[in-house]
Amino acid sequence: MSSLELSSLYQLTITRLKLTLREPEAIFWIFVFPIVLAVGLGIAFRNRPPEVLPVGATTPQLVQALAADSGLKANEMDEAAGLHAMATGQIVLLAIQAGDGVTYRYDETNPDARTARLLADRAIQRAAGRHDAVTAQNQLVREIGSRYIDFVVPGLLGMNLMGSAMWGLGFSIVDARQKRLLKRMVASPMPRWQYLTGYLLSRLGLLVIEVVVLLGFAWLVFGVPFRGPLWQLGLVCVITSFTFSALGLLVASRAKTMEAVSGLMNLVMFPMWILSGVFFSAARFPAVVQPFIKALPLTAAIDAMRGNMLQGTQLGQMMAPIAIMLAWLVLPFAVALRIFRWR
């Protein structure tokens, strides 16, 4: 056997990789679940023709005027029936004849209702004889990279790298601690840093499969673009995986039970699931919390992945998010080395 095969670090890394691959639950959550989620979101938010919005009107003249717009489906109803239809979601707007004018009843917090208000007023004004002062034409463009599936795939990749790294490492360490396996390693000549580093390196073997499977599926099925250099995207994925592996090691350094480590994992990951822009842009949150959101490792990872895949951002332009991830890699790993307990 070579000196590499005799080293404890090599044996620990290979052991961790084999143990993970032998767990059906790990295979599902690491490889299958993100693809299932991508399929569901890709179908739900696929490119579709413009929706026809249901509206109501209190007179036949208003119904005729509204029906002239292809984006509206109008039905005649009195005011009481119209308000009930709005309350039950059957229509999004009610046009009420008020003398020589029209009153629109709708919920301004509903985006469909605001769109229906614009379409309804345009249709009614045209029926009354108003003409557009400026001739306008539409040129419809469906650009690859601007779809929801293009936006969400990097978010799913970052979320999956975070979950597989933290859950995989955290649970395995605490499980070994509960079974008294770590206690036996105290007497061995293996240093603590080799044991923890072995967990980090075991992520590399799974990382290649994990990233290639999800991104390959997204490219083949949905045509998700890759506008930046692939090696730079791979580097970002490696740094992301190591960052969350270090966080997983830190969380599991003192936990003695599965319940304890599970609670700590959720406490760490739950804010990032919500705030880091996995399924929608983090810019939706108030400006006062944006510095905190930008400092989260998952936000940095997803921003770097989206920049590379969708905008072709080069490595030099991604130094800010990479620096954030490296800080989250070095500091938690250093703290984990100091506070880690075998028992």
Side-chain angles (χ1 to χ4, degrees):
M1 297 178 67
S2 64
S3 58
L4 175 63
E5 293 176 329
L6 290 174
S7 69
S8 57
L9 180 58
Y10 174 82
Q11 293 298 331
L12 284 169
T13 302
I14 296 300
T15 300
R16 279 303 318 148
L17 182 59
K18 290 181 178 179
L19 286 174
T20 302
L21 292 176
R22 290 172 182 173
E23 297 175 6
E25 298 85 354
I27 297 299
F28 173 80
W29 288 108
I30 294 175
F31 303 116
V32 180
F33 177 73
I35 292 178
V36 173
L37 197 56
V39 170
L41 293 173
I43 294 174
F45 295 96
R46 67 192 183 278
N47 287 339
R48 293 175 293 180
E51 293 186 8
V52 178
L53 301 174
V55 298
T58 57
T59 65
Q61 293 79 12
L62 288 178
V63 171
Q64 184 178 1
L66 294 173
D69 193 298
S70 60
L72 298 173
K73 179 181 179 182
N75 292 303
E76 184 179 356
M77 56 189 68
D78 58 38
E79 186 172 350
L83 294 178
H84 180 266
M86 286 182 59
T88 56
Q90 299 176 48
I91 62 174
V92 296
L93 175 141
L94 177 65
I96 304 171
Q97 188 74 50
D100 295 333
V102 179
T103 299
Y104 299 108
R105 298 288 295 271
Y106 66 101
D107 180 1
E108 79 282 0
T109 64
N110 185 339
D112 286 342
R114 294 198 300 269
T115 301
R117 163 66 173 81
L118 296 175
L119 295 178
D121 190 63
R122 181 183 67 178
I124 291 173
Q125 297 294 348
R126 284 182 176 178
R130 188 185 76 178
H131 299 283
D132 294 332
V134 178
T135 301
Q137 295 181 344
N138 296 323
Q139 291 185 348
L140 303 180
V141 177
R142 293 181 178 177
E143 178 66 26
I144 298 296
S146 63
R147 305 166 302 172
Y148 181 73
I149 187 64
D150 303 321
F151 173 85
V152 81
V153 163
L156 291 179
L157 179 59
M159 183 185 70
N160 197 53
L161 292 176
M162 176 182 70
S164 59
M166 295 193 66
W167 288 113
L169 270 65
F171 275 178
S172 61
I173 290 176
V174 174
D175 181 58
R177 185 178 286 124
Q178 280 188 316
K179 294 177 179 178
R180 310 294 184 183
L181 297 178
L182 293 184
K183 184 178 180 180
R184 299 177 184 178
M185 296 183 181
V186 178
S188 71
M190 177 187 61
R192 181 183 304 175
W193 72 267
Q194 284 195 4
Y195 180 76
L196 297 182
T197 304
Y199 276 92
L200 289 180
L201 294 180
S202 67
R203 286 290 305 148
L204 284 178
L206 294 173
L207 179 65
V208 176
I209 307 174
E210 189 175 349
V211 172
V212 169
V213 167
L214 176 58
L215 295 186
F217 178 84
W219 175 66
L220 289 172
V221 176
F222 296 109
V224 173
F226 297 91
R227 291 175 175 151
L230 290 179
W231 73 268
Q232 294 183 9
L233 177 61
L235 178 62
V236 171
C237 291
V238 170
I239 297 174
T240 300
S241 182
F242 278 2
T243 297
F244 289 112
S245 296
L247 278 172
L249 293 176
L250 176 61
V251 171
S253 293
R254 294 291 185 92
K256 297 181 179 181
T257 64
M258 288 296 186
E259 293 78 10
V261 75
S262 178
L264 290 173
M265 292 287 185
N266 286 315
L267 180 64
V268 171
M269 292 192 293
F270 186 72
M272 289 187 277
W273 286 335
I274 298 176
L275 299 175
S276 291
V278 176
F279 300 105
F280 54 86
S281 175
R284 291 175 177 265
F285 293 99
V288 67
V289 298
Q290 287 300 320
F292 170 75
I293 293 176
K294 292 294 184 183
L296 294 174
L298 185 58
T299 306
I302 292 175
D303 286 348
M305 292 175 188
R306 286 194 178 123
N308 175 277
M309 293 175 59
L310 306 183
Q311 302 167 17
T313 305
Q314 297 298 311
L315 189 63
Q317 300 170 292
M318 296 188 294
M319 294 313 297
I322 288 177
I324 292 173
M325 287 191 287
L326 289 176
W328 281 100
L329 165 59
V330 173
L331 293 177
F333 187 71
V335 175
L337 281 176
R338 292 186 61 87
I339 70 172
F340 183 83
R341 284 183 178 175
W342 297 104
R343 296 179 176 86

